[in-house]
Amino acid sequence: MTNSTARKFGHPATLVAETGHWLVLVRPQQPTFGSLVLVCKEDARGFSDLSPAAFADLQKAVQGIETLLRDAVAYEKINYLMLMMVDPDVHFHVIPRYPGERSHGGQAFADTGWPGPPALASHVALSEEEAQALAADFAARWRA
């Protein structure tokens, strides 16, 4: 199942990986390099609405994300933000955190909020093609 939140974040074009219950997508607006969206495939509007299987599968998705971003971004911290104010389906914004900048595809990605909360309003807006290319690059690196 693809829900409205997954479609908003470009699924299937931005798909990095998929587990039994979760989609890992590139976040088109990158507050830091490697920002992702982790979307539950279940029809759930509250975290407590998830099935036990989705909770168990969350560990697999998080392990894959952290392995991928450790290698691709060399983050120092990682933030999982469950904001769900606009997009109703259970999902997390995954923001790798680091001092300074990272570069990719000729663009610089600064973590302008470091070492405080992530500065979500300050971001690099990827074009549709750039988001798809980053998703393909990350998908090729994914190890579950």
Side-chain angles (χ1 to χ4, degrees):
M1 179 192 94
T2 302
N3 58 40
S4 62
T5 301
R7 285 190 301 276
K8 176 186 176 185
F9 288 102
H11 183 267
T14 59
L15 182 67
V16 172
E18 183 171 359
T19 68
H21 292 84
W22 297 90
L23 300 170
V24 180
L25 309 172
V26 164
R27 190 177 193 275
Q29 295 183 344
Q30 296 271 294
T32 64
F33 177 62
S35 293
L36 303 171
V37 182
L38 177 60
V39 182
C40 187
K41 295 190 289 185
E42 292 185 347
D43 185 23
R45 302 298 170 129
F47 198 38
S48 64
D49 295 336
L50 296 181
S51 69
F55 275 111
D57 194 42
L58 181 59
Q59 181 181 23
K60 181 178 181 181
V62 168
Q63 286 174 334
I65 286 169
E66 292 183 5
T67 298
L68 168 70
L69 294 179
R70 191 175 303 111
D71 295 341
V73 178
Y75 67 84
E76 287 195 23
K77 300 279 184 183
I78 193 164
N79 295 157
Y80 291 86
L81 308 175
M82 182 182 270
L83 302 173
M84 294 175 45
M85 296 300 290
V86 175
D87 305 303
D89 305 296
V90 172
H91 69 285
F92 296 88
H93 295 263
V94 182
I95 314 295
R97 306 300 309 281
Y98 48 81
E101 288 184 350
R102 302 295 188 265
S103 60
H104 180 79
Q107 295 188 66
F109 297 82
D111 184 346
T112 60
W114 182 267
L120 299 178
S122 176
H123 60 267
V124 173
L126 299 178
S127 70
E128 196 172 306
E129 295 78 21
E130 290 169 328
Q132 289 175 8
L134 184 56
D137 176 42
F138 281 3
R141 296 175 183 227
W142 183 268
R143 296 186 306 264

